[in-house]
Amino acid sequence: MKNARILLTAVTLAAATAPAFAGDWKFLPILDKDYRPNFVASVTGGMLDPKHGSSDTALGLELAMNCGLFQTPTGVVRTKLSWNRYDKDGVTLNTVELNPRWTIPVAQNLTFGVGPGIGYVKADAGGRTTDLFAWQAGADLDYRIGQVNLGLGARWQDTVNKDIAPGMQGAENWLVQAKVGIAF
């Protein structure tokens, strides 16, 4: 089942981002005098559903910006750096994630983004703390009203299968969240 989800995620991301690969890519746009990072700082809140626990609230912070390493011929690659915290039934997950999103306009002031990511998870369970590498895939919908940014996001995260407590291996999870941010 896990391999099927991984394959489905990879096929979906490839199909959704296919238009981004046609044309000329721009490398190191941060060096251009016209480069604008378009920062957005947000607070986030939502539901995290971990492999070894019950669904509960996850709170966090996110800083998003236009990617300074590369840009695709169509759309905009936004880099999203986030931190999330989940704590329920003796399981605590703190995640730090780097998620590039290929973003396209859907309507005026409304964008849709999709992409992979990497992360670090500190899992505390059963009196034991474990550090885990993570990779993830997700999508975001963002609506801009002047300087205010409202968003919805969902991502699936998988971790290396280290023991995080007796009988608990890995910290795979799903996260669905809302965001409220300020663009500056």
Side-chain angles (χ1 to χ4, degrees):
M1 182 67 173
K2 182 176 180 177
N3 289 335
R5 283 188 290 189
I6 292 169
L7 181 60
L8 178 61
T9 301
V11 168
T12 301
L13 284 174
T17 60
F21 293 101
D24 294 328
W25 285 57
K26 183 172 220 166
F27 293 95
L28 295 175
I30 196 167
L31 300 177
D32 292 347
K33 64 179 178 169
D34 297 343
Y35 172 77
R36 301 284 181 265
N38 296 328
F39 288 109
V40 175
S42 302
V43 294
T44 65
M47 295 298 292
L48 189 137
D49 185 14
K51 177 179 176 180
H52 299 295
S54 303
S55 297
D56 201 26
T57 304
L59 301 174
L61 301 171
E62 179 181 272
L63 179 63
M65 65 180 277
N66 290 343
C67 183
L69 297 177
F70 65 91
Q71 286 296 332
T72 58
T74 60
V76 175
V77 178
R78 299 277 294 163
T79 300
K80 298 187 176 199
L81 178 63
S82 61
W83 166 80
N84 292 292
R85 179 177 174 81
Y86 161 91
D87 189 356
K88 171 105 179 184
D89 297 333
V91 176
T92 302
L93 301 176
N94 283 289
T95 68
V96 176
E97 305 171 21
L98 182 63
N99 296 301
R101 297 283 192 256
W102 175 65
T103 305
I104 57 170
V106 176
Q108 186 173 352
N109 301 320
L110 182 66
T111 60
F112 172 74
V114 62
I118 59 171
Y120 162 81
V121 178
K122 182 177 276 301
D124 294 308
R128 179 178 180 181
T129 300
T130 308
D131 300 320
L132 303 129
F133 170 78
W135 62 281
Q136 56 253 357
D140 297 297
L141 195 60
D142 288 288
Y143 184 69
R144 182 77 61 89
I145 306 168
Q147 297 297 107
V148 176
N149 192 80
L150 304 174
L152 296 173
R155 69 109 177 97
W156 168 74
Q157 181 179 68
D158 193 15
T159 60
V160 294
N161 284 328
K162 284 185 177 178
D163 288 336
I164 60 173
M168 296 172 71
Q169 196 174 50
E172 178 183 334
N173 65 81
W174 281 92
L175 174 65
V176 177
Q177 62 185 357
K179 310 171 199 180
V180 177
I182 300 293
F184 55 100

